[in-house]
Amino acid sequence: MPKNYDSLYALSLEAPSKFWADAAEELHWYERWESVLDDSTAPFYRWFSGGRLNSCDNALDVHIERGHGERTALIYDSPVTGTVRSFTYSELRDAVALFAGALQRQGVSRGHRVVIYMPMVPETVQAMLACARIGAIHSVVFGGFAASELAARIDDARPELIVSASCGIEGDRIVAYKPLVDEAIALAKYKPSKTIVLQRPQCAASMVPERDVDWDDALADAAPVDCVPLQATDPLYILYTSGTTGKPKGVVRDNGGHAVALKWSMRHVYGAEPGDVFWAASDVGWVVGHSYIVYAPLFHGCTSVLYEGKPVGTPDPGAFWRVVDQHNVKVLFTAPTAFRAIKKEDPEGKFMEAYDLSRFQALFLAGERCDPDTLRWAEDKLGVPVIDHWWQTETGWPMVANCIGDDPHPVKAGSPTKAVPGYDVRVVDDDGREVPDGTMGNLVVKLPLPPGCLPTLWNDDDGYRASYLEPFPGYYQTSDAGYRDEDGYFWVMSRTDDVINVAGHRLSTGAMEEVLASHPDVAECAVLGVSDALKGQIPLGLVVLKDSAERVEPEVVRELVALVRAKIGPVAAFKRVAVVKRLPKTRSGKILRGTVRKMADGIPYDTPPTIDDPSILDEIQQDLRRLGYPSPRPPHES
Ligand code: COA
Ligand code: AMP
């Protein structure tokens, strides 16, 4: 393959089958594919149809067979428990093969779903890879989600078994996970027959006889098992993500296209070579964790760091630099919010000075828009390339990036740079017509999407069509808005739907509105994302109380905050509610969320000509002032 961005990009679009067939040669296949790109059911596309491989084999066994069994595969670094533990490729493979045997003994086999609700411990990675080994489909649920969110995912995925742990550790707080699993199973209509529970020393989980099996007991009578050859098009995992409604979308990832794309991205996008230490400081419950803590670094023979801690407070804002130094990290990937947290506590970068960062070569940021101030601060303090890149749970790997493995482009702060080979990114107006460079529009990707992207939604082809394919025929709708400049750089500015991004976590305001509306005293409500200097955005609820409401402020506000935390989870960071007399609406009844958001952010706004009653805006302005809005705006919004 050429190592020049322009020729690689051109080749990837002109001859995608050749391009991806070459990339696929780097993996181990039990049987070669019949067609690289199968468009027989377009607009549903499949990659490497007829091919057979196993993702766990390519993540672990292949490296051992090639003589790298003693190389470190995983470093578990947990400041919250004071633990650092490494696994060689051989050790990790053995642990995974044994847990795969344990899953089989509990009745799990190919095609069964396994929900994993776990903290950032090596057993989580082992459980994911064990599923991959036997062809079970894992669905990891982020630990910051509440029981009812877990229940919704259980009902959709219908897992044979749930793997969980007694607790997670959030800074100095122990979060018991098992009661949430018990509650979720009680809430769910579908009842999984078994759970396997890792008892952590920090907290003991009570077990339900017959249903719950201790992790150690599950291993005790298991025998290691080999990889099962799978179809390239078989699902590897389902990962639920927020859409515009309360119902999460089950993004499906296949085995073949995913392995090919992720392996390719390690060298070309991230500039990593086998043996390098790669650290994605995210959580395995998010797509970044799936792709760049677990699968991609292992496909590529790298050492991956699994970090159970925060950027600050565990114990200080030097935490990241300690890990980079101690484990010789070459590439770090995290969300801009983590850097804003570090910068807030250590604006001068003093904590960096205590560590040797000479082997550190690049910082990648994604998950939310990267504000130029944070980018420049990181560049200035670290003296390495800082690369913003844009992607989504659905795509599984970057759509737009500065591919430093090929020939990097000059950085323009605020832009994730250029389309990654394989992605034909375009900007279209609401009628699907391409707009000139420099004009804002909908960011879309011309079909077919490259390998690794979602082939469909779990059990919901119609939902896939409706959400992603029908809005702009011939294109995949990203639901992001932005523009391309005259140099071909993309600028991703905002979402076009009701999804907000809180500390790099994607959340649905629609889901929060459903929760608020379920409160007996709430007549009407709206949730919108307002700017926040640390988290990028945070949700703000506006509620109109019923005339018959039994509670008043501040009691009702406390209840609403607690309700969202209980129903969606602490990750929603839902803490602010304005009780208002009326919601501003258009004459047709649409709530003017955008106008309220501008008011809260202190951005000049025009009174929409379609507004039903302009005087409501003055009332809202007063209500927002009571809450301290407009608050100082974060630098990236200015
Ligand atoms: N299990 C249980 N609870 C969790 C959790 C988990 N896995 N992850 C987060 N939470 C809880 C937190 O404890 C917090 O609870 P609180 O309201 O009681 O304080 C709440 O959910 C919100 O968490 P978070 O958004 O992480 O805020 P924070 O104040 O704890 O930390 C940052 C702020 C910026 C340090 C943190 O968000 C961060 O490191 N972000 C990095 C972003 C990231 O990894 N994004 C993934 C995509 S790359
Ligand atoms: P998630 O699916 O949780 O990864 O969230 C994906 C969404 O996060 C995207 O659709 C964008 O709205 C936002 N996002 C991710 N990366 C970036 C980025 N580099 N710049 C701007 N927005 C981003």
Side-chain angles (χ1 to χ4, degrees):
M1 272 197 189
K3 271 199 70 113
N4 162 282
Y5 167 82
D6 288 332
S7 34
L8 270 176
Y9 187 71
L11 186 65
S12 76
L13 297 194
E14 283 155 20
S17 292
K18 169 161 179 23
F19 185 92
W20 292 113
D22 284 354
E25 296 297 348
E26 299 226 358
L27 293 162
H28 171 239
W29 297 82
Y30 300 112
E31 206 169 301
R32 288 177 73 80
W33 50 90
E34 284 154 17
S35 66
V36 179
L37 174 61
D38 174 359
D39 58 4
S40 57
T41 52
F44 290 80
Y45 296 89
R46 305 311 308 259
W47 288 93
F48 303 104
S49 292
R52 294 202 310 152
L53 83 170
N54 182 288
S55 295
C56 180
D57 173 49
N58 278 289
L60 299 173
D61 303 58
V62 158
H63 305 298
I64 300 162
E65 282 150 25
R66 291 178 188 163
H68 304 300
E70 293 315 303
R71 182 184 291 167
T72 304
L74 190 69
I75 301 171
Y76 166 55
D77 186 305
S78 167
V80 294
T81 59
T83 314
V84 175
R85 203 174 146 204
S86 294
F87 298 80
T88 65
Y89 271 88
S90 293
E91 287 166 344
L92 188 58
R93 192 270 314 266
D94 292 348
V96 167
L98 192 60
F99 192 68
L103 287 175
Q104 278 190 342
R105 269 191 77 94
Q106 299 302 328
V108 176
S109 59
R110 181 175 175 174
H112 283 154
R113 275 77 59 209
V114 173
V115 162
I116 300 177
Y117 186 67
M118 298 274 278
M120 289 285 286
V121 291
E123 287 82 356
T124 310
V125 178
Q126 291 164 15
M128 292 166 75
L129 291 167
C131 290
R133 196 168 185 87
I134 58 173
I137 303 163
H138 61 70
S139 185
V140 182
V141 179
F142 176 62
F145 281 121
S148 48
E149 289 287 321
L150 179 56
R153 287 151 174 80
I154 292 172
D155 275 334
D156 197 69
R158 301 173 71 83
E160 191 71 12
L161 180 143
I162 298 182
V163 185
S164 191
S166 55
C167 65
I169 303 163
E170 278 290 291
D172 52 10
R173 200 160 52 90
I174 290 171
V175 182
Y177 276 27
K178 181 62 177 15
L180 298 173
V181 174
D182 292 340
E183 194 188 333
I185 295 176
L187 286 171
K189 290 189 201 72
Y190 175 86
K191 310 287 179 197
S193 49
K194 290 276 175 203
T195 75
I196 296 181
V197 181
L198 176 75
Q199 295 279 14
R200 301 188 76 186
Q202 294 77 12
C203 162
S206 69
M207 305 288 270
V208 175
E210 309 296 320
R211 190 196 71 189
D212 298 343
V213 183
D214 186 294
W215 178 283
D216 293 334
D217 295 341
L219 289 182
D221 52 4
V225 294
D226 265 341
C227 295
V228 173
L230 300 170
Q231 293 294 329
T233 50
D234 280 345
L236 167 67
Y237 70 74
I238 308 165
L239 179 58
Y240 288 88
T241 190
S242 299
T244 47
T245 67
K247 187 178 180 297
K249 297 170 171 176
V251 168
V252 174
R253 197 81 61 210
D254 65 9
N255 274 280
H258 172 253
V260 172
L262 261 60
K263 167 101 176 77
W264 185 90
S265 72
M266 285 299 286
R267 177 168 292 144
H268 293 274
V269 178
Y270 296 99
E273 290 300 327
D276 286 344
V277 182
F278 190 93
W279 177 25
S282 176
D283 189 289
V284 278
W286 304 113
V287 68
V288 175
H290 279 63
S291 293
Y292 292 104
I293 296 174
V294 182
Y295 286 106
L298 298 180
F299 288 148
H300 202 45
C302 290
T303 298
S304 182
V305 178
L306 179 78
Y307 176 68
E308 189 181 30
K310 298 256 174 186
V312 294
T314 56
D316 56 41
F320 273 21
W321 321 127
R322 195 265 305 157
V323 174
V324 168
D325 178 3
Q326 188 169 338
H327 305 306
N328 297 328
V329 172
K330 177 176 169 187
V331 179
L332 167 62
F333 176 171
T334 190
T337 190
F339 263 74
R340 289 197 294 272
I342 296 171
K343 181 174 148 213
K344 191 165 163 232
E345 292 200 10
D346 181 23
E348 306 300 325
K350 292 245 175 301
F351 280 84
M352 289 174 192
E353 288 163 15
Y355 300 102
D356 175 6
L357 305 182
S358 57
R359 289 166 300 259
F360 181 41
Q361 287 188 16
L363 169 66
F364 281 81
L365 298 172
E368 56 174 324
R369 180 151 194 269
C370 181
D371 55 284
D373 276 6
T374 302
L375 185 116
R376 290 203 191 93
W377 183 83
E379 275 178 344
D380 178 47
K381 300 289 177 238
L382 291 166
V384 298
V386 179
I387 314 289
D388 175 17
H389 60 327
W390 172 60
W391 52 298
Q392 312 181 302
T393 305
E394 288 85 344
T395 63
W397 65 291
M399 290 181 277
V400 170
N402 201 345
C403 296
I404 61 165
D406 300 324
D407 53 341
H409 295 87
V411 168
K412 292 194 194 185
S415 161
T417 315
K418 297 201 180 188
V420 171
Y423 289 96
D424 189 353
V425 183
R426 310 278 178 103
V427 188
V428 297
D429 65 17
D430 288 346
D431 296 321
R433 283 186 300 256
E434 278 193 61
V435 298
D437 285 346
T439 309
M440 278 281 283
N442 301 284
L443 291 166
V444 296
V445 185
K446 194 162 181 296
L447 296 174
L449 292 169
C453 299
L454 81 172
T456 188
L457 293 175
W458 179 248
N459 277 342
D460 193 10
D461 284 350
D462 290 344
Y464 174 66
R465 240 191 260 268
S467 294
Y468 302 106
L469 306 182
E470 280 168 2
F472 301 106
Y475 299 101
Y476 162 83
Q477 159 172 268
T478 68
S479 295
D480 278 312
Y483 63 94
R484 186 176 53 201
D485 71 14
E486 65 287 0
D487 299 322
Y489 283 54
F490 286 92
W491 298 75
V492 184
M493 306 310 288
S494 60
R495 290 284 297 194
T496 56
D497 57 10
D498 295 331
V499 163
I500 59 170
N501 202 306
V502 180
H505 309 318
R506 171 170 159 184
L507 296 162
S508 159
T509 53
M512 292 184 226
E513 287 176 2
E514 281 177 29
V515 174
L516 297 183
S518 72
H519 189 284
D521 289 341
V522 170
E524 269 194 301
C525 64
V527 175
L528 35 115
V530 298
S531 298
D532 181 78
L534 175 64
K535 298 196 176 190
Q537 283 185 302
I538 48 165
L540 166 69
L542 300 187
V543 294
V544 179
L545 298 183
K546 288 180 184 159
D547 291 344
S548 59
E550 287 179 5
R551 296 152 201 81
V552 288
E553 263 185 296
E555 194 189 350
V556 72
V557 168
R558 266 198 304 275
E559 286 187 10
L560 291 170
V561 167
L563 197 62
V564 174
R565 193 176 171 97
K567 295 273 184 210
I568 295 181
V571 68
F574 183 84
K575 302 201 168 151
R576 314 225 81 189
V577 182
V579 176
V580 296
K581 286 198 212 66
R582 300 177 289 171
L583 292 176
K585 290 186 190 166
T586 61
R587 280 188 286 278
S588 61
K590 208 166 159 264
I591 298 171
L592 291 162
R593 291 180 179 78
T595 309
V596 180
R597 191 179 62 76
K598 283 186 180 157
M599 291 167 110
D601 286 349
I603 298 173
Y605 63 92
D606 295 321
T607 302
T610 53
I611 193 165
D612 184 33
D613 175 0
S615 69
I616 301 183
L617 293 183
D618 295 333
E619 287 171 25
I620 298 282
Q621 190 77 271
Q622 281 171 21
D623 290 321
L624 290 175
R625 280 210 196 98
R626 272 196 299 134
L627 282 182
Y629 293 107
S631 54
R633 285 160 53 203
H636 63 292
E637 295 293 338
S638 48

